[in-house]
Amino acid sequence: MERTPVLPSRAAVLPRVTRIGTPPAAGRPAGPVLTALGLFTVLLGAALPLIDFFIVNVALPTIDRDLAAGPALLELVVAGYGTAYAVLLVLGGRLGDMFGRRRLFLAGMAAFGLTSLACGLAPDAWTLVGARVAQGAAAALMLPQVLATIQSTTAGTRRARALSLYGATAGLSMVAGQILGGVLVAADIAGTGWRAVFLVNVPVALIGLVLAARTLPETRSERPAPIDVPGTVLLAVSLITLLAPLTEGRASGWPLWTWISLAAFPFTACAFYAVERRADRQGRTPLVPPSLFELPGIRRGLPLVVPFSIGFGGFMLVMAVALQQGLAFGPIAAGAAMAPLAVTFFAASLMGPRLVARYGSRVVTVGGLIQALGLLLLVAAALHDWQHLSLLLLAPGMAVAGFGQGLQLPVLFRIVLAEVPAERAGVGSGVMVTTQQSALALGVATLGTLFLALITSAGMRNALVITLLVQLGAVALTILLSLRLPRHVS
């Protein structure tokens, strides 16, 4: 196997990098091999947390009516899950490196099923918020093990295909969450109403546990690093001081604590970076090694994940509110509006590997341009005839936007993880999914807050149009950043 020194001065942190394009002899990893059923199992584990981030969007009106939650608690139902999830993802990856990724995947899947049951049985709004926070923590144990397992048990074309399927699963899960949520709420199975969006996870988690116990090989880092307690605490404080006030500020009337928290964020973020950088220079392995960002894939690919995910997270929430409150769509119709996006996203994801082999990272650039066209079509549809806006009129914009997104996300995952060494698979995957999840939550907070604030002054239609145009700016940024990506994708 060809090995390329990456950071000679920091060999203790990133000793050597195995490139995806240079697999071992026979095209198989040196250690355990992930079977097709094992890959299905870890992708199931990747789908559940992302589905549950979005599945509540169409259920929020019924949760409000049933539990008398109010705007602030409703936002906590979304933000509590997303914040706990984002804060603990990197730690979950580190724990998998230390104690075994199969073991942590099983523990996370079991905890996810139990906390989903607690959400579905919650008697009041505060109990639901607490259960959602616990559910986010369980998801953070499970999800980092997915990419880390793929990284350590596949090689060559098998790894590239697995990462493409992971990207397709991630995108589809975010869209499918809202579709499934609408169907379950409207079906009102056995009178469960909104509770079904959580209870449905319980049998799925049980199936996942059985499959994982039978199919997943155990992997762990050969040289696991101890838990970076200062880094873990400072990362948690940094994300909380940013996400909590942005998600709760508008609904709470922007009390003093929100401004103090936002003012504290730059200082906590700088403190986190300083602590991690010092640990990195001393040859220890911090929670998020700054030396990881010297790898070209992470340095150039990760910044694209941020505006993409901010736009995606905000878009899904804004469309759910606009369709249900602005156009009086029922839960099923609101979910069905996302179906064209899901179909074209999946189609583009399947086409991606062949297109990347021929055109390299320029596929991401073209995907951004196509997504921008889809957003413009949605803006045009809203401006043309808002009062009679139907699923048929929304479909072209949704389909085009979904196709563009499907060309971007799976390729970005491949680029970001291409040069992460196998012994740091948990850390690398934790950093990437933390970035993605934090950006999704930030999109819900920023674009969602903008949209909801504009409704009272500009009306529902204009609020939607303005928010989509702001998202278009995020898409333009991804297009510009994509021009810096390595042309060849491993």
Side-chain angles (χ1 to χ4, degrees):
M1 182 193 302
E2 178 187 347
R3 292 185 178 270
T4 305
V6 178
L7 300 170
S9 63
R10 295 179 181 167
V13 178
L14 294 173
R16 290 185 181 273
V17 169
T18 301
R19 295 179 182 273
I20 289 177
T22 58
R28 301 171 75 86
V33 176
L34 188 66
T35 64
L37 187 56
L39 178 60
F40 171 81
T41 303
V42 293
L43 291 181
L44 178 65
L48 281 176
L50 289 169
I51 286 174
D52 264 69
F53 185 80
F54 291 95
I55 199 169
V56 298
N57 283 348
V58 293
L60 290 176
T62 54
I63 293 174
D64 190 20
R65 287 194 298 270
D66 191 17
L67 301 182
L73 282 181
L74 283 179
E75 293 201 13
L76 272 180
V77 169
V78 179
Y81 176 88
T83 303
Y85 185 21
V87 163
L88 297 173
L89 275 166
V90 180
L91 179 61
R94 176 65 60 85
L95 291 173
D97 285 348
M98 293 178 64
F99 299 111
R101 291 147 191 159
R102 177 180 180 273
R103 180 180 299 175
L104 265 291
F105 184 89
L106 287 167
M109 181 70 79
F112 193 83
L114 290 172
T115 53
S116 296
L117 179 63
C119 289
L121 299 178
D124 55 59
W126 277 111
T127 304
L128 178 59
V129 169
R132 282 284 282 174
V133 172
Q135 190 188 34
L141 283 182
M142 178 170 58
L143 186 62
Q145 318 317 324
V146 174
L147 282 170
T149 298
I150 290 173
Q151 286 285 95
S152 56
T153 59
T154 61
T157 56
R158 293 185 70 247
R159 182 183 294 176
R161 186 162 53 248
L163 288 175
S164 294
L165 287 172
Y166 175 88
T169 301
L172 281 174
S173 299
M174 292 185 278
V175 181
Q178 295 201 180
I179 298 174
L180 180 61
V183 171
L184 290 173
V185 171
D188 193 21
I189 302 169
T192 53
W194 60 267
R195 298 177 187 275
V197 305
F198 301 114
L199 296 176
V200 71
N201 292 330
V202 177
V204 177
L206 289 173
I207 294 170
L209 282 171
V210 173
L211 289 174
R214 295 173 62 89
T215 64
L216 290 193
E218 183 62 281
T219 63
R220 68 185 72 202
S221 175
E222 294 180 2
R223 295 183 297 276
I227 298 298
D228 175 14
V229 176
T232 301
V233 172
L234 284 170
L235 177 61
V237 173
S238 298
L239 290 174
I240 289 171
T241 55
L242 175 64
L243 296 176
L246 287 177
T247 52
E248 282 297 295
R250 185 201 63 84
S252 303
W254 296 105
L256 180 61
W257 73 265
T258 60
W259 299 108
I260 294 174
S261 182
L262 286 172
F265 167 70
F267 298 99
T268 57
C270 289
F272 170 70
Y273 177 76
V275 167
E276 300 298 275
R277 185 174 178 83
R278 183 170 65 248
D280 209 8
R281 285 177 168 175
Q282 292 174 351
R284 296 182 282 120
T285 304
L287 186 70
V288 180
S291 53
L292 270 180
F293 293 87
E294 295 185 19
L295 299 174
I298 289 184
R299 187 177 68 250
R300 298 181 184 181
L302 204 59
L304 269 79
V305 176
V306 175
F308 179 91
S309 299
I310 286 175
F312 202 110
F315 175 82
M316 299 301 286
L317 174 66
V318 165
M319 290 304 299
V321 175
L323 294 176
Q324 290 188 91
Q325 296 184 9
L327 295 172
F329 280 25
I332 291 182
M338 300 295 172
L341 190 150
V343 171
T344 55
F345 188 105
F346 186 64
S349 299
L350 294 179
M351 296 169 59
R354 293 192 298 274
L355 294 174
V356 167
R358 184 170 182 180
Y359 301 108
S361 64
R362 291 299 172 260
V363 171
V364 178
T365 307
V366 173
L369 292 170
I370 294 173
Q371 183 187 0
L373 176 60
L375 292 177
L376 289 174
L377 288 174
L378 289 173
V379 168
L383 291 174
H384 174 66
D385 191 359
W386 172 254
Q387 295 299 326
H388 300 95
L389 193 59
S390 64
L391 294 178
L392 187 62
L393 292 175
L394 286 169
M398 289 289 191
V400 173
F403 192 83
Q405 291 164 344
L407 290 178
Q408 295 173 82
L409 192 61
V411 182
L412 286 176
F413 286 158
R414 283 179 59 182
I415 291 171
V416 169
L417 295 173
E419 296 173 315
V420 176
E423 62 269 20
R424 293 291 177 257
V427 176
S429 61
V431 169
M432 196 194 73
V433 293
T434 296
T435 302
Q436 181 199 22
Q437 182 60 38
S438 300
L440 286 170
L442 193 58
V444 170
T446 54
L447 292 180
T449 296
L450 172 67
F451 172 69
L452 294 172
L454 286 171
I455 290 174
T456 54
S457 59
M460 185 70 72
R461 184 195 70 171
N462 291 336
L464 176 62
V465 168
I466 293 170
T467 306
L468 290 177
L469 291 176
V470 171
Q471 185 190 350
L472 194 62
V475 175
L477 180 59
T478 65
I479 294 170
L480 292 175
L481 290 174
S482 70
L483 300 176
R484 298 180 60 250
L485 292 173
R487 184 63 184 268
H488 174 70
V489 180
S490 299

